[in-house]
Structures are given as structure tokens and as C-alpha cells.
Amino acid sequence: MNEYKSIACRYHEIATKGHNRSMFEERLVANIRMLASYDKIEDLTVQRMRGRIFIRKKKNMAFTPDELENIKKMLSRAYGIESFSPVLETAPELENILDLAAKCASALIEKMLEKKESVTFRSRARRSDKSFPLKSKELEIEIAKRLWGVFGERLKIDLTSPDVSVGVEVRDKIALVYYETFKGPGGLPAGCNGNVLALLSGGIDSPVACGMTMKRGCNVEFLTFHSYPYTPMESLEKVKNIASRLNLYQKKGRLFACNLSELQKLIRDNCNPRFRTVLYRRMMFRIAEMVCHRYRLGAIVTGDAVGQVASQTLVNMSVINDVTKMLVLRPVCGMDKLETIDRAVELGTYDLSIIDLPDSCTVFAPDSPAVAAKYYLVEAEEKKIPDLEKALEETFRSIERFDDL
Ligand code: ATP
Ligand code: MG
């Protein structure tokens, strides 16, 4: 079997972009380099060439199987990539292409024929160089003919789920042959659409909301609320671990950690207990807006899903949303919990999220929270807090920042 010296990455949504497409491509190249450095994969060159991104080793050496595995893992985190394949390269001449495609497919087919009577096969060709003498379909037939010449009846065509599939791409200076295609995470490269602030709790949903926002091309910074000493410091450590896991997908976002307990005490001591959860959340949104203004972040992201818990009725969500003019993104809104859990497992945050530690929202939680808090009642309760502005300002000023997670 030939050794792979190159991996070709395909993208989908970027390809639909017009005049600013190269900006998205450059961001994807930069992100791949960055993710490789996080994984300590050294000596790679990452280049874009006519609608593809190629990853090679410096000095044009072949990848070892371990290196290929590590790169596969790394690329599964690179938002913007639709799919990728380790590829063999040859000159874009018919004989060279047929030789290479047939030689490598033969090795795979022979191996399978040791165990089976016959093997199914398909070739897929694409030519971006229209001056190449054969059309894609014709090239596919030529490859099949070559292999039939070797294996005869033992080789059958199957276009839907063949045992062996050979891909060929003819470009103007080079032709690519590949046997495997791996799915990438899709979407747009993290960071190409600006920076946002995610409200990150220790739960399952908000990390998934972060992943989905990165997939739309945003770089995510994190804001978490704790209530030390009413919640343990371990709760903050847990969120730090989740943030650093999420940072494996993007240019590292900072974590802002805000102690909400002074505001929570004011709410406990002055307001009707039924509205505590909604009032806490209104404070969270106000602080989030202050952080966004201070650090020029374009939106707030939350893991809200309508109807999931008491604070997430439409009425409560509106009352909470009412305190800010910021754009609020809620990407998990359309998912059910099982889908969200699947995404959390894929992202690698699930195992961290299920560690059972108290959340800020549960501090002084009432027995029967309001599920449909009326605006005017909530506002009246809030007015009972003496000098709320000052308390918010002080809480904002006491935020701790972690830059390198
Ligand atoms: P999650 O699983 O993300 O914690 P949840 O289903 O538990 O969500 P809530 O606790 O009502 O729902 O929180 C809804 C959203 O509010 C969270 O997804 C998160 O964005 C934000 N949030 C809640 N608690 C905190 C917190 N302590 N710090 C930061 N954000 C929070
Ligand atoms: Mg929660």
C-alpha cells in the first residue's frame, strides 16, 4: 500500500461564499494550524489550493499511521470542514491515474477476496480541470475496466454501499486518489463571525450551546456565575474544565467568573421568594451585558431550551430577556434533551457536566418558584432592592478573569 503524504480537506458552506470567501478559507487554515499546535502535532504545512485545504508534513515525508490518527482527531474539531481524506497524488495524466487507482484498489480487493467470494466496488471521479480528455463518468468506467481486467467476475459494481470505493479528483497540476472519507464537523470556521459571550453553567446544555455557536463561526468567551461560599469552589473548577475542553475547538476564549452571592442575598432579603430564580437570571443577563460592552462582544449565548425547567417557560424567558438589548442566541432551543446529550458526548463535555455539584441558581432556591412571572410583579420586587445599580457595579468589578484555559 502506498503511503499517504497529504490530506485533502473539503468544505461546504465556505464554498457558497462570494467575494469574501478567501477570508473564510484563511481563517480555516489558521484554525487548523492552531488546533494542531494544541495537540502538539508539529511540522505540518497547511495550504489552501483551489477549493481544498491540503495538509502535508514538512519535507514531504509520509504520515505514520499514528500521525494520521492524531490528525483525524484534530480535524474532527475544525469547524468549517465538511469532510477529509488522506490522498495519494500523481500527475494528472490518464495512465498515471489509472495505474495508481488500480494498484491501490487491487491491494484492498485482494485482501478482501481472501475472506469473500466476490467484492463490490465503486469509483467516483471529479475533474476540476475541464481540459482533461475524459469526462468524470468515462474516467470511472476506465478505472472499473482496469480492475475487471485483473479480477473479472469476482468484482461487482455497487453504487450505494460498496466494499471498496475509490475516489479520483483531477485538478490542473495534480490528480488525487483516495479510499476513505471522514466526516468533519461542518459549519463555518470558529472566529470568522466575531466574538460572543456564553453563559456557561456546569450543566449539559450551555456547553452544547457554545459548540453550536462556534460552528456558526463565532469565537466564544465564557461567563459563569458561582455563589461562593454558598456553592463550593469545586463548582468553579468544574466550569473551568468545561471551558478548557471547549477551547480545544477555537482560539482560546477567556472565562469570566462572577460571584453572584451578594446580589442573591439582596434578593433573598428584599424580594418575594417565588421570583428568586427569575431575578437571579435577570441579574446574570445584566452582568453579561456589562461584560459584552466592556470586551466588545456581539451577543449573549445561553443553553436555554423552552420548557425544560421552571425558569424556561416562555413567560419567564421573556421577563429575563427584557433586561437587555443585546442579541441573545439560544442554539439548543430546537433540540430535545437526548439530542443535546448526544452533542455533549460528541463535544467531549458530557463527562465533565454530569459531575454532580451545586449551581449558583439553586442557592436559596424557593420551594415553589413562579413559572409565569408577570413583568409588573417582577419589576415591583426588584425595586425593593436598595441601590441595585451600585450592587451590580460592585459585582461586575469583582469578576475574576482566567485567560489561559
Ligand atoms: P444547563 O444544562 O446549561 O445548566 P439548564 O437546563 O440547567 O442548562 P438553567 O439552569 O435554567 O437550565 O439555565 C439556563 C441557561 O442559563 C444555561 O444554559 C446557561 O446558559 C445559563 N446559566 C444558568 N446558570 C448559570 C450559571 N451559574 N452561570 C452561567 N450561566 C448560567
Ligand atoms: Mg443549569
Side-chain angles (χ1 to χ4, degrees), residues 199-201 203-206 225 281 303-304 308-309 311-312 359:
L199 298 192
L200 185 63
S201 67
I204 294 169
D205 303 347
S206 47
F225 294 92
R281 304 291 309 283
D304 287 313
Q308 202 180 75
V309 292
S311 59
Q312 293 174 1
D359 183 81

Side-chain angles (χ1 to χ4, degrees), residues 198-209 223-227 239 256 258 260 277 281 284-285 300-305 308-312 320 329 332 337 340 353 358-362:
L199 298 192
L200 185 63
S201 67
I204 294 169
D205 303 347
S206 47
V208 171
L223 170 61
T224 192
F225 294 92
H226 64 87
S227 308
V239 174
F256 300 94
C258 179
L260 200 66
T277 317
R281 304 291 309 283
M284 289 184 181
F285 269 49
I300 295 172
V301 178
T302 80
D304 287 313
Q308 202 180 75
V309 292
S311 59
Q312 293 174 1
I320 293 163
L329 303 173
V332 302
K337 192 77 188 185
T340 310
S353 291
D359 183 81
S360 194
C361 284
T362 58

